[in-house]
């Protein structure tokens, strides 16, 4: 190959050209690193500051909207309010922390949002019925350009203004990264020009090692700067500063792609949260229509939001009977609720396939495999209107109440241990028992969130209070029983946030009014506490060994 020295006959000229090329290459490498550092800084702000700040602000707006909706709903929304100051306080603290490293305008707008939320919550705590509309007024878009402080409109206006500012800052950083990428492209084009000058020295080598890779990188950078993050990856075997620059561009493209995917997922998650929560609640509380001759009623009230660790259901069976069940996963919240959905599906599939009650509970035990810190209690009862019988299995659950037509109460005793993945569950672990069920008798299942719920003084609601409510029912129907028990718990001022409270009631037919008098509560396997003239006391039955 001809050399530059051979063409010019001057060693000095060769040295000068090589030196110029080396200097140009060094300058391009340094500038590329500087641009990359600026790009990383801007991309870091997008990923670690503006994105989380927008998410936290969205959470504040959502919490404020939920509190406003619950407040405007009056008594019907009282149970949904929660503690708005605590809920929004955490998001505001995180938002201030993110804003501390931002510019002065962002910090001032963030402080305005915090003050508006604080004044609004203070006003909401003192607001009566007459001025409730002013505190919970329409958003700023409908209330005017200068809403009064201490109102929801002011909170909405401040949050909207801050959201717009955060979006502008994010757009500025995105534009900055685009300019950095364009700068890299321009400097690489400059390098290409320098390499063209060096083509006199080694045209073939220059074409193979520099010009072609530089053109490919420029094309990838153009695609990346235009928003296409799917450009092909660089050849990992490429060496030298151009290879490093290409790999750095690949890393930048990957970060941009991850940021784009994360932003899209965040937006989709915000859209899905509400329907997902409502859907999970509907699954946990859903009941099939019972079989002929059976009436049922029930509800699940979660300690946190709408997702509970309790699950209930009604399943009509092929032989004309109807199965009802109520379970309680330890704990409450989202984790317990997701497990409760899975266990409810297991119970319903087992019942629909005609499995025995013990088999259904054992299937739940198998579904708990791997959940070492979780367990469940469960009661499954089958009502047979043709034979007038009630058959049940009780896996460590709160003993259900059986109200007879004369107003007396019996309890359906446990027939086996709780369902825990660490306890063995051979066949027969959970036995079944039966008793007579006449028209007008009422079966009521509840979770311990009702009986162990405490009022403001620390006193438990208690089983005796439940018995008193059931014995005094004027209309001993399933719906009346569930409604009356929840009303009694509300009057008792039970702490609803302490545990989930769920009720399920079933009966063969319309019940007759109970005779007046104090409630009689019977325990064990539907055995009365004292002798009865019309019901002989059966001998006690041995319970299965839970570890057998």
């Amino acid at each position: 190959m001809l050399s530059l020295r051979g063409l010019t006959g001057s060693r000095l000229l060769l040295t000068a050209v090589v030196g110029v090329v080396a200097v140009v290459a060094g300058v391009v490498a340094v500038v590329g690193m500087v641009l990359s550092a600026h790009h990383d800084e801007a991309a870091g702000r997008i990923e670690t500051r503006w994105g989380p700040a927008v998410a936290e602000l969205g959470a504040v707006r959502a919490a404020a909207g939920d509190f406003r909706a619950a407040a405007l709903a009056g008594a019907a929304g009282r149970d949904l309010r929660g503690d708005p100051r605590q809920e929004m306080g955490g998001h505001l603290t995180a938002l201030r922390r993110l804003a501390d490293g931002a510019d002065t305008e962002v910090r001032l707008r963030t402080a305005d949002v915090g003050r508006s939320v604080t004044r609004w919550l203070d006003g909401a705590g003192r607001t009566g019925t007459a001025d409730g509309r002013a505190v919970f007024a329409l958003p700023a878009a409908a209330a005017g350009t200068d809403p009064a402080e201490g109102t929801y409109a002011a909170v909405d206006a401040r949050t909207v203004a801050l959201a717009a500012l955060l979006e502008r800052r994010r757009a500025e950083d995105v534009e900055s990264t685009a300019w950095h990428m364009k700068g890299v492209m321009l400097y690489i084009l400059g390098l290409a020009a320098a390499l063209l000058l060096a083509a006199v020295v080694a045209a073939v080598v220059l074409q193979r090692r520099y010009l072609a890779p530089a053109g490919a990188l420029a094309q990838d950078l153009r695609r990346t700067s235009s928003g296409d993050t799917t450009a092909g990856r660089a050849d990992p075997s490429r060496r030298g500063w151009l290879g490093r620059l290409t790999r750095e561009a690949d890393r930048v493209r990957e970060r941009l792609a991850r940021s784009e995917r994360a932003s899209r997922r965040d937006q989709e998650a915000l859209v899905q949260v509400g329907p997902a929560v409502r859907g999970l609640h509907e699954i946990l509380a859903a009941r099939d229509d019972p079989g002929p001759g059976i009436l049922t009623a029930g509800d699940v009230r979660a300690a946190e939001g709408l997702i509970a660790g309790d699950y209930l259901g009604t399943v009509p069976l092929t032989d004309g009977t109807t199965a009802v069940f109520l379970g309680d996963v330890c704990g409450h919240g989202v984790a317990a609720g997701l497990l409760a959905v899975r266990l409810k599906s297991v119970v319903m599939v087992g019942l629909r396939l005609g499995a025995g009650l013990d088999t259904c509970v054992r299937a739940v035990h198998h579904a708990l495999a791997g959940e070492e810190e979780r367990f469940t209690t469960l009661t499954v009862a089958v009502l047979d209107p043709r034979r007038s019988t009630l058959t049940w299995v009780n896996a460590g659950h709160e003993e259900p109440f059986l109200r007879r037509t004369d107003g007396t109460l019996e309890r359906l005793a446990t027939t086996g241990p709780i369902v825990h993945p660490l306890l063995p569950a051979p066949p027969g672990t959970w036995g079944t028992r039966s008793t007579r069920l006449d028209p007008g008798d009422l079966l009521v299942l509840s979770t311990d969130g009702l009986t162990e719920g405490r009022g403001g003084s620390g006193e438990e609601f208690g089983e005796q209070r439940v018995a008193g409510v059931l014995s005094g029912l004027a209309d001993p129907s399933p719906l009346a029983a569930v409604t009356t028990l929840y009303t009694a718990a509300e009057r008792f001022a039970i702490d609803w946030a302490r545990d989930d409270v769920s009720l399920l009631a079933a009966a063969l037919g319309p019940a007759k009014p109970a005779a007046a008098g104090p409630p009689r509560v019977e325990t064990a396997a539907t055995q009365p506490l004292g002798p009865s003239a019309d019901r002989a006391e059966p001998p006690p039955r041995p319970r299965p060994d839970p570890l057998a």
Side-chain angles (χ1 to χ4, degrees):
M1 181 181 297
L2 294 177
S3 65
L4 185 61
R5 180 180 179 183
L7 292 175
T8 62
S10 173
R11 185 187 295 257
L12 180 61
L13 180 58
L14 174 62
T15 303
V17 171
V18 172
V20 169
V21 172
V23 170
V24 171
V27 170
V28 171
V30 171
V31 172
M33 293 175 62
V34 172
L35 289 175
S36 177
H38 285 299
H39 176 273
D40 289 345
E41 181 180 356
R45 286 196 299 269
I46 295 172
E47 184 175 353
T48 63
R49 179 181 298 169
W50 307 129
V54 170
E56 294 293 343
L57 183 61
V60 170
R61 297 193 67 190
D66 290 345
F67 177 57
R68 170 179 175 265
L72 292 178
R78 188 176 295 114
D79 295 336
L80 302 178
R81 290 191 187 182
D83 186 354
R85 190 178 300 276
Q86 180 180 0
E87 183 176 358
M88 285 187 278
H91 296 298
L92 286 173
T93 300
L95 185 60
R96 294 190 191 97
R97 185 167 56 251
L98 292 169
D100 285 342
D103 57 88
T104 303
E105 185 178 2
V106 172
R107 294 197 299 271
L108 292 177
R109 290 291 180 87
T110 303
D112 288 343
V113 170
R115 284 193 297 271
S116 295
V117 170
T118 300
R119 292 177 182 175
W120 179 51
L121 292 178
D122 291 343
R126 299 189 300 268
T127 299
T129 304
D131 56 352
R133 184 173 181 82
V135 174
F136 301 105
L138 295 175
T145 58
D146 190 19
E149 287 291 344
T151 64
Y152 175 75
V155 173
D156 184 74
R158 302 296 183 270
T159 54
V160 167
L162 179 56
L165 179 59
L166 293 176
E167 186 59 32
R168 287 200 304 273
R169 292 295 185 268
R170 179 181 176 279
E172 291 171 358
D173 281 339
V174 170
E175 184 179 1
S176 177
T177 58
W179 278 108
H180 292 155
M181 299 305 292
K182 291 179 181 178
V184 172
M185 180 187 68
L186 293 176
Y187 275 97
I188 290 186
L189 291 177
L191 175 63
L195 293 176
L196 287 175
L197 294 177
V200 179
V201 178
V204 176
V205 175
L206 181 64
Q207 173 65 26
R208 183 170 60 89
R209 293 187 178 181
Y210 292 97
L211 292 182
L217 178 59
Q219 182 179 3
D220 288 347
L221 291 175
R222 290 191 190 96
R223 293 172 60 185
T224 302
S225 62
S226 64
D228 181 5
T229 57
T230 61
R233 295 182 56 84
D235 182 4
S237 62
R238 185 179 299 163
R239 299 180 180 180
W241 65 268
L242 186 57
R244 292 193 300 271
L245 187 59
T246 303
R247 289 189 290 273
E248 182 64 24
D250 281 341
R251 287 192 288 270
V252 170
R253 181 168 52 248
E254 291 171 358
R255 285 193 292 269
L256 288 175
R258 287 196 298 269
S259 177
E260 181 182 355
R261 290 194 299 270
S263 176
R264 184 172 60 253
R265 286 196 302 269
D266 290 343
Q267 293 294 331
E268 293 171 350
L270 290 175
V271 175
Q272 294 172 349
V273 165
V277 169
R278 288 191 295 271
L280 286 175
H281 175 76
E282 291 173 358
I283 292 174
L284 293 171
R287 293 176 289 112
D288 292 348
D289 292 334
I294 302 297
L295 301 175
T296 63
D299 194 15
V300 174
R301 296 195 179 182
E304 298 178 4
L306 294 176
I307 302 178
D310 297 347
Y311 53 100
L312 57 82
T314 302
V315 181
L317 305 181
T318 56
D319 59 357
T321 61
T322 297
V324 296
F325 63 88
L326 177 60
D328 183 359
V329 174
C330 69
H332 50 80
V334 175
L338 293 176
L339 179 58
V341 170
R342 180 164 34 134
L343 300 185
K344 177 177 180 177
S345 300
V346 171
V347 175
M348 296 191 69
V349 169
L351 292 172
R352 287 170 176 168
L353 292 177
L357 300 186
D358 173 72
T359 303
C360 289
V361 180
R362 291 177 60 227
V364 171
H365 180 271
H366 286 294
L368 283 172
E371 298 283 348
E372 296 183 357
E373 298 182 357
R374 297 280 184 181
F375 63 88
T376 184
T377 62
L378 176 63
T379 293
V380 185
V382 177
L383 292 81
D384 191 338
R386 291 183 300 176
R387 297 181 177 85
S388 297
T389 59
L390 171 65
T391 304
W392 79 91
V393 60
N394 187 341
H397 194 76
E398 189 85 0
E399 293 184 354
F401 290 86
L402 181 57
R403 183 190 187 279
R404 297 296 184 180
T405 52
D406 61 358
T408 60
L409 297 176
E410 301 173 6
R411 302 296 294 275
L412 306 186
T414 57
T415 63
I418 62 174
V419 187
H420 198 294
L422 299 182
L423 296 178
T429 299
W430 291 279
T432 59
R433 298 190 183 180
S434 298
T435 188
R436 179 133 187 112
L437 186 68
D438 297 318
D441 292 345
L442 175 65
L443 173 65
V444 178
L445 292 78
S446 70
T447 57
D448 57 8
L450 177 65
T451 56
E452 297 178 4
R454 298 182 182 274
S457 63
E459 178 187 3
E460 285 190 352
F461 191 78
E463 297 179 354
Q464 291 298 325
R465 188 171 275 103
V466 175
V469 171
L470 294 178
S471 180
L473 286 174
D475 174 20
S477 65
L479 180 59
V482 171
T483 302
T484 304
L485 282 173
Y486 275 129
T487 301
E490 291 173 354
R491 292 176 179 172
F492 185 74
I494 193 173
D495 182 8
W496 296 100
R498 186 172 183 269
D499 198 2
D500 307 322
V501 179
S502 299
L503 291 170
L504 179 61
L508 293 183
K512 299 178 181 179
R520 294 169 50 199
V521 180
E522 301 174 2
T523 59
T526 69
Q527 299 178 14
L529 295 176
S532 173
D534 58 352
R535 187 181 297 112
E537 181 176 353
R541 301 181 182 180
R543 296 187 181 182
D545 184 356
L547 298 179

